[in-house]
């Protein structure tokens, strides 16, 4: 699955890991991450992320 | 169409990318005053802390630009804009034509004009060059003083601490994070930072940098001295408006733009830290990206996109705690009411700022679920006036207000 990178701070969203602290289970693909989720490191919203590569 | 972008920070780079996508046949000149391709400023802390190497900073390989038809001109300062002739003049006297230009010139640190600031060992942090100099100097000294206890000052203090220095933070206001926190919230934060090993002095005016040639500390009002071989000023930034001003564009604190990110000249746009929108200079990255996207869209197709402002959200992580401030968290406007819940021993803090029955700002500690809901309530302007103090109550389901 494709990873996404935060353009603001460089945090990487890895679907295999998810973001359990924000209630995103491991295995959650990017498209299924809810729109109100935000970068756990800097607070940027989903629109600030880009596919890696 | 020939586009020029002045400044290759996050606003300039985002705009170049957006234009390249929207108008693949357009020509794009991207002028960067710094010698390096785009890097993220927040990562400079990791560089200073020794957690990241310089090579790992660069976000895009150099050929990324060329592949998109973007002519990246690094170390190239734009000195003047000839609006009638639609030409930019560089530092070295050469000129470059444009049809539409974006001013993404950012901001520069403001260091107060006090005695001794020119001494060796006195720094401010904005650029990679600054960070490299700070990192090198940190190896020669044991301790540091950070003047300014805002978000940037505290993060820099933590980075210097991680690099092995003893760090004292000196804040002029009576409490830390004066732009985000009130006295109560700052007390909780200060306790956390002190536990982590930082020394903190608040309500103190810095009067001079001490030392013979090399800095050895600072002198506070009342003749108190604080020792430190590295002095870091984190006392705010000023928008880089000189170029715009000299060209006769309308400026105030920043370059003034309308909802199309257009300046007072219809072929000149502005975005990012250099820019003032409805009296506001955001000074953080997400609004810079949003503005750059809108400006770029309008440079390609005038009037095609508009900007309505951003609800900023910032996070400070300290000693395992997470402090989130959203929107107008200080609430200094008219008819503003603040609701607050605080428990210092338990390290609890929660604050909501309301105006005319709507939440306009908030501060939350270790409360990400609630932060997500509050941000939505602010963005959607939901009327919460019927709820009063209930809004702070753990037993009340805040999310129910979104439906
Ligand atoms: C250490 C540090 C950490 C930060 N952390 C965060 C964070 O975690 N989250 C966040 O949201 N924000 C953070 N910020 C703020 C953030 O970096 C700024 O909001 C952001 O850089 C603004 O982008 P910009 O493109 O508008 O301006 P800048 O990044 O300042 O870029 C402007 C560029 O334009 C160039 N330039 C200026 N004039 C000219 C000219 N005449 N000709 C050619 N080039 C020119 C400058 O050299 C500069 O490279 C941080 C800032 C610092 C210093
Ligand atoms: Zn991020």
């Amino acid at each position: 699955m494709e990873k996404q990178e935060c353009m603001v701070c460089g945090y990487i969203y890895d679907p295999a890991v998810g973001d359990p602290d924000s209630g995103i289970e491991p295995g959650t693909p990017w498209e299924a991450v809810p729109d109100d989720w935000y970068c756990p490191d800097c607070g940027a919203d989903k629109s600030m992320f880009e596919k890696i590569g | 169409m020939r586009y020029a972008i002045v400044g290759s920070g996050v606003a300039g780079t985002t705009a170049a990318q957006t234009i390249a996508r929207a108008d693949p046949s357009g020509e794009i000149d991207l002028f960067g005053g710094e010698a390096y391709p785009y890097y993220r400023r927040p990562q400079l802390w990791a560089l200073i802390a020794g957690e990241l190497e310089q090579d790992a900073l660069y976000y895009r390989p150099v050929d990324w630009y060329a592949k998109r038809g973007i002519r990246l001109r690094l170390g190239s300062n734009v000195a003047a804009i000839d609006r009638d002739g639609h030409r930019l003049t560089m530092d070295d006297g050469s000129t470059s034509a444009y049809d539409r230009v974006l001013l993404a010139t950012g901001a520069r640190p403001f260091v107060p004009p006090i005695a001794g600031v020119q001494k060796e060992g006195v720094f401010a942090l904005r650029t990679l060059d600054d960070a490299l100099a700070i990192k090198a100097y940190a190896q020669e000294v044991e301790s540091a003083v950070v003047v300014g206890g805002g978000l940037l000052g505290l993060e820099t203090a933590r980075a210097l601490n991680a690099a092995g220095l003893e760090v004292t933070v000196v804040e002029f206001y009576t409490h830390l994070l004066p732009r985000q926190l009130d006295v109560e919230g700052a007390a909780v934060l200060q306790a956390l930072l002190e536990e982590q090993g930082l020394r903190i002095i608040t309500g103190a005016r810095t009067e001079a940098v001490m030392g013979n040639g090399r800095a050895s500390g600072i002198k506070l009002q009342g003749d108190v001295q604080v020792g430190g071989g590295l002095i870091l000023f984190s006392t705010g930034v000023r928008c880089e408006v000189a170029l715009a001003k000299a060209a006769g564009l309308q400026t105030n604190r920043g370059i003034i733009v309308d909802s199309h990110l257009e300046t007072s000249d219809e072929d000149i746009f502005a975005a990012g830290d250099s820019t003032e929108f409805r009296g506001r200079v955001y000074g953080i990255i997400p609004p810079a990206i949003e503005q750059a996207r809108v400006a770029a869209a309008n440079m390609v197709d005038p009037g095609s996109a508009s900007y309505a402002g951003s609800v900023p959200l910032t996070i400070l992580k300290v000693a395992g705690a997470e402090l989130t401030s959203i929107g107008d968290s200080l609430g200094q406007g008219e008819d503003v009411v603040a609701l607050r819940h605080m428990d210092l021993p338990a390290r609890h803090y929660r604050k909501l700022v309301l105006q005319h029955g709507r939440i306009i700002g908030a501060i939350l500690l270790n409360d990400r679920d609630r932060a997500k809901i509050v941000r939505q309530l602010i963005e959607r302007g939901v009327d919460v006036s019927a709820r009063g103090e209930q809004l702070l109550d753990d037993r009340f389901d805040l999310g129910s207000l979104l439906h």
Side-chain angles (χ1 to χ4, degrees):
Chain A
M1 277 188 283
E2 271 166 351
K3 294 180 190 174
Q4 297 272 337
E5 181 171 10
C6 175
M7 286 191 277
V8 176
C9 74
Y11 167 87
I12 290 171
Y13 177 81
D14 180 350
V17 180
D19 177 18
D21 287 347
S22 298
I24 310 295
E25 299 294 327
T28 308
W30 180 245
E31 299 69 40
V33 173
D35 283 341
D36 67 355
W37 178 85
Y38 60 73
C39 174
D41 280 352
C42 76
D45 66 27
K46 270 187 88 180
S47 72
M48 302 284 141
F49 279 70
E50 275 188 2
K51 206 169 45 198
I52 291 183
Chain B
M1 184 69 72
R2 183 153 179 188
Y3 306 94
I5 297 170
V6 186
S8 62
V10 67
T13 307
T14 302
Q17 176 175 10
T18 311
I19 292 172
R21 271 193 204 140
D23 182 6
S25 67
E27 285 181 75
I28 306 171
D29 293 301
L30 176 56
F31 300 99
E34 293 178 62
Y36 311 100
Y38 175 58
Y39 56 91
R40 301 181 185 84
R41 302 201 189 282
Q43 292 194 328
L44 297 178
W45 291 314
L47 181 84
I48 292 172
E51 297 154 3
L52 198 71
E53 293 303 319
Q54 184 177 342
D55 286 345
L57 284 176
Y58 306 123
Y59 184 33
R60 320 211 186 262
V62 202
D63 65 357
W64 181 91
Y65 299 89
K67 273 189 196 149
R68 283 162 184 75
I70 300 168
R71 286 189 295 260
L72 178 63
R73 321 248 297 248
L74 294 174
S76 185
N77 259 296
V78 176
I81 310 170
D82 167 8
R83 287 165 57 189
D84 294 332
H86 279 69
R87 293 194 85 79
L88 303 176
T89 305
M90 306 299 131
D91 254 358
D92 63 8
S94 63
T95 68
S96 179
Y98 72 86
D99 293 310
R100 299 206 175 104
V101 59
L102 178 72
L103 301 179
T105 48
R108 66 169 68 197
F110 168 76
V111 176
I114 58 173
V117 288
Q118 76 293 341
K119 287 187 169 50
E120 194 188 341
V122 178
F123 298 92
L125 173 61
R126 178 77 187 181
T127 63
L128 175 51
D129 280 333
D130 295 335
L132 291 170
I134 291 166
K135 187 177 159 71
Y137 204 80
Q139 255 125 54
E140 298 176 30
V141 296
E142 256 100 66
S143 57
V145 181
V146 173
V147 182
L151 274 177
L152 253 55
L154 294 180
E155 292 277 10
T156 310
R158 195 167 55 181
L160 290 168
N161 195 230
L165 273 62
E166 259 186 56
V167 184
T168 307
V169 177
V170 176
E171 168 56 52
F172 169 69
Y173 281 91
T174 50
H175 61 278
L176 295 174
L177 291 195
R179 290 181 57 200
Q180 285 84 13
L181 286 185
D182 49 28
V183 181
E184 292 83 1
V188 177
L189 173 68
Q190 183 165 342
L192 287 166
L193 289 169
E194 285 169 345
E195 276 165 20
Q196 210 184 38
L198 294 182
R199 202 174 145 219
I200 290 163
I201 303 174
T202 57
R205 179 192 290 274
T206 301
E207 287 200 323
V209 175
M210 304 181 304
N212 287 325
R214 283 187 99 166
S216 63
I218 59 166
K219 190 165 87 58
L220 302 176
Q221 194 173 30
D223 234 2
V224 181
Q225 304 196 345
V226 184
L230 190 157
I231 316 293
L232 194 290
F233 278 90
S234 182
T235 37
V237 295
R238 295 289 178 267
C239 304
E240 195 65 78
V241 296
L243 188 62
K245 223 172 162 167
L249 298 174
Q250 214 183 329
T251 61
N252 183 29
R253 261 204 305 152
I255 305 167
I256 295 179
V257 293
D258 64 12
S259 58
H260 296 133
L261 279 307
E262 198 178 298
T263 67
S264 48
D265 178 324
E266 63 176 6
D267 289 329
I268 306 183
F269 297 74
D273 278 19
S274 60
T275 303
E276 178 174 328
F277 174 72
R278 293 190 186 148
R280 236 186 131 154
V281 175
Y282 289 99
I284 53 174
I285 298 170
I289 294 176
E290 290 172 42
Q291 291 176 354
R293 287 175 175 159
V294 172
N298 289 324
M299 286 168 75
V300 173
D301 182 6
S304 63
S306 56
Y307 177 68
S310 304
V311 177
L313 184 150
T314 57
I315 298 177
L316 181 73
K317 289 187 174 177
V318 273
E322 186 173 299
L323 186 81
T324 311
S325 39
I326 314 171
D328 183 0
S329 53
L330 276 186
Q332 288 164 328
E334 269 174 40
D335 303 324
V336 161
V337 195
L339 304 176
R340 220 179 257 124
H341 166 77
M342 136 135 177
D343 181 347
L344 184 56
R347 306 279 187 260
H348 277 311
Y349 183 77
R350 184 179 296 165
K351 173 186 177 187
L352 296 176
V353 180
L354 283 86
Q355 190 178 36
H356 309 306
R358 291 176 168 77
I359 304 176
I360 59 164
I363 301 166
L364 300 155
L365 188 61
N366 292 332
D367 211 345
R368 212 180 279 172
D369 288 339
R370 201 173 303 263
K372 278 190 234 168
I373 299 168
V374 170
R375 178 190 244 184
Q376 299 271 321
L377 290 171
I378 297 175
E379 277 175 356
R380 295 199 214 160
V382 176
D383 186 345
V384 298
S385 51
R387 297 303 176 164
E389 294 280 336
Q390 239 190 332
L391 294 169
L392 287 181
D393 198 325
D394 273 331
R395 286 158 301 181
F396 176 66
D397 175 13
L398 207 56
S400 66
L401 296 172
L402 285 170
H403 309 303

